[in-house]
Amino acid sequence: METWLKLSLLLCVFGCVKEFRPSEPFITPYLMGEWKNFTGEDIEEIFSTGTYSYLVELVFVFLVTDLLRYKPVIIFDGIFAIITWSLLIWGFGVPVMQIMEVFYSFFLAAEVAYYTYIYAQVDKEHYQKVTSHTRAAYLTGRALSGVVSQLLVSYNVLDYYELNFISLTAVTLATIWVLFLPSVKHSIYFFRENRESQLEGIENPGVEIEDAEVSTKLSPDTTDAESKSRSSSQIQPVASHVRTESRWKAACRYMWQDLTQAYSNFYVIKWSIWWALTTCGFLQVLNYVQMLWQMIIDNNHLDSKTDIYNGAVEALYTVIGAVTSLLCGWVTLNWQVYGEATLAACALVEGALLMLSTQTDTMLVAYVYYILFGVIHHTMITVANAEVAKHINEDSYGLIFGLNTFLAVAFQTILTVIVVDKRGLALDTSTQFMVYGSYYLVLGAVFACMGVYTLIRVIMKKREVQQ
């Protein structure tokens, strides 16, 4: 087996196992159930803490991932997950659950190392394949998690509380597994391969070393051996300091070059804005959709054992989203011409689905709306990934994708403060989803205007050519 494929499979096992968390599709019923007895307001307060923490922690994790060369951050990713589910099982009270959300946010933020580790380990010719591998591992873990959780709950094998022990076991095994991943010798920015000679030459460090050598010769009373010893002891710290300083400056220069190269392209900016804004909406819906479903459950006095299929829905939309994402690779649509129009249509449909989900009292209908929403999101995010990747430097995938994710979380934080937080409007769940639906409708309208403008330009150019 080739080395790059072996590394990819090792990483994918970790990705699949860590995503096998069957308690997540039923997290809201668990928190509101007999085990924790939280109210809807308590849960909104807990979840909003996670959003704020995610924003701050994403910045920190993003900065240290390349510096620490990935593997340590992946290990911490597993440790944060273990702490999260330990607190979720044995912790009580809103403050403890908020602490749990802080660690859960660290867990989510540290996933950047999982997605970028492989790029530092394999040659560029394998990037497309290993990207598909890691994505497939993620989706497989999510789908299996949904299926298993639904079967265990529907057949009364385990309750919501006991599902957490499976999640804890899975993330513990994943953390142990990641210890066997080989360490990364070279990273994309701080420890580039074959760059040491370039790094040491920055800002002429030899001048400082020469000054250190001269200083050791100023005392006539020192012997040759003492002089050499002092010279060596002074040169090494200086050289080490300069290399470290140079490495930081070089890394910042490489990152700045990649950023300016990517975001000087309006096409990249356009797709990145879409990516950030639609991901913001999706994360917000993902956080609170179970609250919306809980309203329907309470209004209809449904049996949580026989009438709730959160796990099945999670599995179904993940699988369908994976299939549609793969099919996107076969679509020959000219995205530069029809991209905005397609994005506009998808956003308008997503907005309509969210608004309709607030008007139904039928769980099956609510599930269908959510599945369609999730499938559209995963499909178009796949297209956005591909379109951005086509127009940026291969080495900058992690940087650009990470920055887009940060923007998405920043927008989500603003939305949370306005809509959910007590310091904002503190809207009820149904009204929140009306706002999220309106958010997508506005996004769709903006991209529709852009699409019309692009089509008009294309038509005018064709006419000029014909004339």
Side-chain angles (χ1 to χ4, degrees), residues 43-336:
I43 294 176
E44 288 182 348
E45 187 176 351
I46 292 168
F47 286 173
S48 62
T49 300
T51 300
Y52 304 145
S53 302
Y54 190 20
L55 178 65
V56 176
E57 293 157 4
L58 188 62
V59 177
F60 173 76
V61 171
F62 180 74
L63 290 174
V64 303
T65 295
D66 193 85
L67 179 62
L68 297 180
R69 286 180 271 193
Y70 310 98
K71 183 177 176 179
V73 180
I74 299 177
I75 294 173
F76 278 117
D77 188 36
I79 293 173
F80 294 145
I82 294 172
I83 296 173
T84 296
W85 265 270
S86 297
L87 291 173
L88 196 58
I89 293 171
W90 293 293
F92 292 94
V94 172
V96 175
M97 291 299 104
Q98 288 177 312
I99 294 173
M100 178 273 296
E101 278 291 321
V102 171
F103 281 103
Y104 182 66
S105 300
F106 261 121
F107 166 63
L108 294 179
E111 286 185 340
V112 67
Y114 164 72
Y115 287 109
T116 55
Y117 164 92
I118 199 67
Y119 297 136
Q121 289 285 59
V122 304
D123 294 332
K124 293 180 181 180
E125 62 184 287
H126 303 302
Y127 275 10
Q128 185 174 353
K129 292 180 181 178
V130 296
T131 300
S132 64
H133 291 172
T134 53
R135 183 67 179 171
Y138 165 84
L139 293 172
T140 300
R142 298 286 292 183
L144 287 175
S145 177
V147 171
V148 170
S149 65
Q150 190 62 59
L151 291 174
L152 293 175
V153 169
S154 296
Y155 287 97
N156 293 318
V157 178
L158 297 176
D159 58 28
Y160 301 147
Y161 173 71
E162 292 163 337
L163 287 177
N164 287 289
F165 287 94
I166 298 180
S167 298
L168 178 59
T169 301
V171 295
T172 301
L173 291 175
T175 305
I176 295 172
W177 177 267
V178 81
L179 297 175
F180 296 98
L181 283 176
S183 299
V184 177
K185 296 180 180 179
H186 309 284
S187 64
I188 295 175
Y189 294 107
F190 284 94
F191 299 94
R192 288 199 173 189
E193 191 173 8
N194 299 325
R195 300 277 183 172
E196 292 301 322
S197 59
Q198 295 180 22
L199 292 176
E200 291 179 2
I202 297 176
E203 295 192 350
N204 195 15
V207 174
E208 296 186 29
I209 295 174
E210 183 179 352
D211 292 340
E213 291 175 339
V214 170
S215 66
T216 63
K217 298 178 182 179
L218 294 179
S219 174
D221 298 329
T222 57
T223 63
D224 291 341
E226 290 174 337
S227 177
K228 291 179 180 179
S229 176
R230 292 185 185 184
S231 175
S232 176
S233 65
Q234 293 182 27
I235 292 172
Q236 289 178 0
V238 171
S240 177
H241 167 73
V242 171
R243 281 197 297 270
T244 302
E245 183 182 20
S246 301
R247 182 178 292 124
W248 274 94
K249 290 184 177 181
C252 290
R253 186 175 71 252
Y254 295 141
M255 284 190 279
W256 179 250
Q257 289 173 351
D258 285 340
L259 286 173
T260 53
Q261 184 271 333
Y263 292 116
S264 60
N265 186 333
F266 179 73
Y267 190 74
V268 173
I269 294 176
K270 176 177 63 181
W271 281 92
S272 294
I273 290 174
W274 161 265
W275 181 350
L277 291 176
T278 194
T279 300
C280 159
F282 177 76
L283 291 175
Q284 198 71 354
V285 170
L286 196 63
N287 273 352
Y288 298 102
V289 70
Q290 291 187 36
M291 293 286 292
L292 185 66
W293 294 344
Q294 192 65 40
M295 289 176 53
I296 299 175
I297 292 169
D298 295 339
N299 292 339
N300 291 274
H301 306 288
L302 299 178
D303 187 335
S304 62
K305 297 295 183 182
T306 58
D307 298 318
I308 299 180
Y309 297 95
N310 295 8
V313 169
E314 180 78 19
L316 189 58
Y317 103 78
T318 300
V319 171
I320 296 175
V323 172
T324 56
S325 298
L326 289 173
L327 291 177
C328 285
W330 300 90
V331 175
T332 57
L333 184 68
N334 187 342
W335 294 106
Q336 294 195 2

Side-chain angles (χ1 to χ4, degrees), residues 415-436:
L415 193 59
T416 299
V417 171
I418 296 173
V419 176
V420 181
D421 202 291
K422 292 179 181 179
R423 291 165 291 184
L425 299 175
L427 302 176
D428 62 82
T429 304
S430 181
T431 308
Q432 284 181 35
F433 272 76
M434 292 293 290
V435 173
Y436 304 151

Side-chain angles (χ1 to χ4, degrees), residues 263 265-283 328 335 338-354 372-388 400-401 403-409 411-412 436-451:
Y263 292 116
N265 186 333
F266 179 73
Y267 190 74
V268 173
I269 294 176
K270 176 177 63 181
W271 281 92
S272 294
I273 290 174
W274 161 265
W275 181 350
L277 291 176
T278 194
T279 300
C280 159
F282 177 76
L283 291 175
C328 285
W335 294 106
Y338 301 106
E340 293 106 329
T342 304
L343 294 176
C346 290
L348 293 173
V349 172
E350 286 179 300
L353 290 170
L354 292 178
L372 292 174
F373 174 82
V375 167
I376 293 172
H377 171 77
H378 280 298
T379 303
M380 296 314 300
I381 279 295
T382 301
V383 175
N385 286 349
E387 290 304 300
V388 171
I400 303 303
F401 292 174
L403 183 56
N404 288 347
T405 302
F406 169 76
L407 292 175
V409 179
F411 294 145
Q412 184 196 6
Y436 304 151
S438 301
Y439 170 88
Y440 272 95
L441 292 179
V442 172
L443 181 61
V446 171
F447 272 84
C449 294
M450 294 172 63

